[in-house]
Amino acid sequence: MPGSPSEPHERDERDELDGPYDLAVIGAGPAGLAGAVTACELGLSVALLDAAPQTGGQYFRHPAPGLGAARPQALHHDWSEFTALRSRFEASEVTHLAHHHVWTVTRQDDDGTWTVHALTGPDAGSGTPARIRARAVLLATGAYERQLPFPGWTLPGVVGAGGAQAMLKAGLVLPGRRIVVAGSGPLLLAVASSLAAAGARVPAVVEASGYLGYARRPRALATSPHKLLEAAVHGSALLRHRTPLRTRSAVTAVHGTDRVEAVTVSRLDRAWRPVPGTGRRIACDALAVGHGLVPQTELGTGLGCTTRLTPDGTHALALDALQETSVPGLWAAGETGGTGGWQLARTEGELAGIAVAARLRGLPALTRSRRARDLARRRDRMRAFADAMAAAHAPGPGWTAWLPDDTDVCRCEEVTAGSIREAAGELGARDARTVKLLTRAGMGWCQGRMCGAAVACLAAESRTESCTDGRAENGTEGGMANGAGNGAGNGTAQGTVPPSAERRPLAVPVPLGDLAGLPEETGRARAAADGPTDRRA
């Protein structure tokens, strides 16, 4: 039945008893689902691990069965395409391991197989350990929202733009009744139209960038008519609900005592600095805000994968023309390699599934088939549009001008902008890692996912370079040309960046007892992973 959650396949314990799977796929969103199904259809044994109870990832979220949603597809675009992919999955022999929170991946020295370490259960903090072995791994871990702080952003009623959409899709609830949607990126239009369709009043959509940046890449626009149609649909919805779109503007303050009561919206110059005297107060009871997405790369960088700097200043895994990372035997697809929407993620996942099957079955002709060539061309077209989109909405270096010294930047550790500026200026911190050591910014529960971009930008204020050029985060300049796939393969020339010294060995919180119980060979595999980072011939 459309909209009903699929039951996971019965767990197969042969990884512990008889041998490894051919492929372990981490993440059951569009990229992981497509990769798993494709590889299985080509004859591989596949395990699909995901923290959620159902497939679909962040994009195709499902309401809980108890909510009795009659038409969950009404909250999604392209629902029929997703259900077709899900039908292939349900007809396959992929082993779906739901509620598996993957915290690290290691490689064995003796036979080269991978071990995926996870905690099972609804909550990783109280889960039981599990190990899945595989001959190859596909990372499809998606992305999380980038947040740029401002005065009042810790008030109840301020939620992420994607978070507001998740509340609606999964919980059928709204964060408020009168919701301002703000930030930067095309997600804002989708969120605003969804909230308005669900009955919320959206007094304004506040976009920090403009849309003229798309005009600089007309070819990317011309080859992506589906995206233009999506924008037209969302724009029509805003017109229908009389929601104004304010470009080159940002929410620079939130007002309220116990929760959001109003926001101040200011005009921005081209560097994203607030223009004095342009602040306007808008009454609301909630704010949905987000400034794009950050690829979730912890598992890959923990293994030494090379990264690339994206046009909007984030770091994604650098991939070759067949979606393989710089670490042989480790592939990635979807937003792990750069954000670009669910259709790009599905295409990359399918291409990665073919590439893995070709490698493990010794059939290189699979990667030269018409199907693979078509997927690669489609991937390159959509990736070009994604790069144009990222460049158009990249944060300007002047946004920190709306950040007074007394504003909390790291919410977990309550570290203010003034403390970070002091560490970067008077104490001489030259990168986000040193700022973290001096101030504890980023040491809290979220491990810098909420404040990392802001800390890097504030650290860069004391130097001449922009906070979006990659040096503030990684402490190095990318100098190695990426030869294919996400780099020159789509017509762009983007540098790659060595693994950051800040890379996290653990992707999710894990109890110390589970760490202490790891077998000795895991430590040797970790040490090997920390060696040379690009072992491709």
Side-chain angles (χ1 to χ4, degrees):
M1 181 178 71
S4 63
S6 60
E7 291 296 327
H9 297 273
E10 183 179 356
R11 181 174 175 178
D12 188 344
E13 295 290 351
R14 64 180 164 183
D15 58 294
E16 299 288 352
L17 301 177
D18 302 323
Y21 289 91
D22 290 323
L23 175 65
V25 180
I26 303 172
L33 200 57
V37 169
T38 300
C40 185
E41 290 172 344
L42 290 172
L44 301 189
S45 58
V46 181
L48 176 63
L49 298 87
D50 195 80
Q54 305 172 63
T55 59
Q58 298 293 333
Y59 190 89
F60 291 105
R61 284 176 172 265
H62 312 290
L67 295 176
R71 296 180 62 249
Q73 62 269 31
L75 300 174
H76 297 84
H77 294 284
D78 304 322
W79 182 259
S80 61
E81 294 184 54
F82 168 67
T83 54
L85 177 60
R86 191 176 61 185
S87 295
R88 288 173 58 196
F89 164 72
E90 291 170 346
S92 74
E93 295 183 358
V94 174
T95 300
H96 180 203
L97 303 178
H99 286 311
H100 275 61
H101 309 263
V102 177
W103 57 271
T104 196
V105 178
T106 58
R107 195 170 198 171
Q108 308 308 120
D109 291 336
D110 52 357
D111 59 3
T113 60
W114 300 91
T115 302
V116 179
H117 300 269
L119 295 171
T120 65
D123 182 8
S126 59
T128 57
R131 288 184 296 157
I132 306 300
R133 292 194 299 127
R135 297 169 61 198
V137 172
L138 171 59
L139 301 177
T141 48
Y144 53 90
E145 281 193 279
R146 171 167 49 191
Q147 296 295 336
L148 304 181
F150 44 83
W153 76 307
T154 58
L155 270 176
V158 178
V159 299
Q165 196 173 48
M167 292 172 65
L168 181 58
K169 288 180 177 180
L172 304 182
V173 295
L174 295 168
R177 300 304 304 175
R178 186 177 174 88
I179 310 166
V180 170
V181 178
S184 185
L187 177 63
L188 303 185
L189 300 180
V191 170
S193 61
S194 296
L195 295 177
R201 172 80 174 95
V202 182
V205 176
V206 184
E207 166 62 62
S209 298
Y211 292 95
L212 295 179
Y214 288 90
R216 298 190 185 98
R217 300 192 183 185
R219 185 176 179 181
L221 292 178
T223 57
S224 302
H226 182 83
K227 292 294 184 182
L228 296 177
L229 178 61
E230 269 189 31
V233 169
H234 295 315
S236 299
L238 296 183
L239 287 174
R240 188 166 61 253
H241 292 285
R242 298 181 181 180
T243 298
L245 173 62
R246 305 187 185 280
T247 59
R248 296 287 178 192
S249 303
V251 170
T252 52
V254 177
H255 311 284
T257 51
D258 296 329
R259 67 167 293 119
V260 175
E261 297 173 4
V263 299
T264 292
V265 176
S266 302
R267 289 283 296 169
L268 302 179
D269 64 18
R270 291 197 173 274
W272 283 34
R273 288 183 295 263
V275 177
T278 62
R280 177 188 172 188
R281 195 176 177 113
I282 299 178
C284 59
D285 61 0
L287 169 66
V289 60
H291 293 85
L293 299 174
V294 179
Q296 194 157 312
T297 63
E298 290 90 346
L299 292 174
T301 55
L303 288 164
C305 291
T306 298
T307 61
R308 70 180 181 102
L309 186 66
T310 66
D312 62 347
T314 64
H315 289 264
L317 296 185
L319 309 174
D320 70 9
L322 293 174
Q323 301 298 129
E324 192 171 11
T325 71
S326 62
V327 176
L330 185 67
W331 281 262
E335 292 174 331
T336 312
T339 60
W342 91 269
Q343 291 185 332
L344 173 58
R346 178 187 59 181
T347 300
E348 291 185 341
E350 189 170 348
L351 183 59
I354 293 173
V356 175
R359 175 78 56 82
L360 298 187
R361 295 184 59 195
L363 298 173
L366 283 175
T367 61
R368 298 191 296 270
S369 65
R370 181 175 179 178
R371 177 186 182 188
R373 294 198 307 270
D374 288 345
L375 287 169
R377 284 194 291 267
R378 195 183 315 157
R379 184 269 317 275
D380 291 344
R381 287 197 301 268
M382 288 189 284
R383 179 59 67 191
F385 180 85
D387 285 345
M389 179 177 64
H393 297 282
W399 74 266
T400 54
W402 73 53
L403 204 56
D405 282 347
D406 61 353
T407 303
D408 280 338
V409 172
C410 175
R411 303 162 63 124
C412 301
E413 297 293 326
E414 298 182 340
V415 180
T416 64
S419 298
I420 296 170
R421 287 175 172 138
E422 180 184 16
E426 297 178 23
L427 301 181
R430 291 191 52 79
D431 53 36
R433 177 182 175 84
T434 308
V435 170
K436 175 180 179 178
L437 295 174
L438 292 173
T439 66
R440 293 191 60 82
M443 287 190 179
W445 185 256
C446 82
Q447 286 293 285
R449 289 175 178 84
M450 290 289 289
C451 67
V455 172
C457 288
L458 289 169
E461 280 187 341
S462 62
R463 308 193 302 282
T464 57
E465 68 267 17
S466 163
C467 66
T468 60
D469 72 355
R471 284 172 284 186
E473 180 175 346
N474 277 328
T476 182
E477 292 184 61
M480 183 173 63
N482 191 16
N486 289 350
N490 60 17
T492 63
Q494 297 188 22
T496 57
V497 182
S500 169
E502 304 164 49
R503 66 182 192 249
R504 303 181 184 97
L506 309 179
V508 298
V510 57
L512 289 177
D514 293 330
L515 288 177
L518 288 178
E520 183 181 352
E521 60 267 20
T522 299
R524 292 198 299 268
R526 170 64 60 194
D530 287 339
T533 61
D534 192 343
R535 298 191 292 277
R536 190 183 309 281

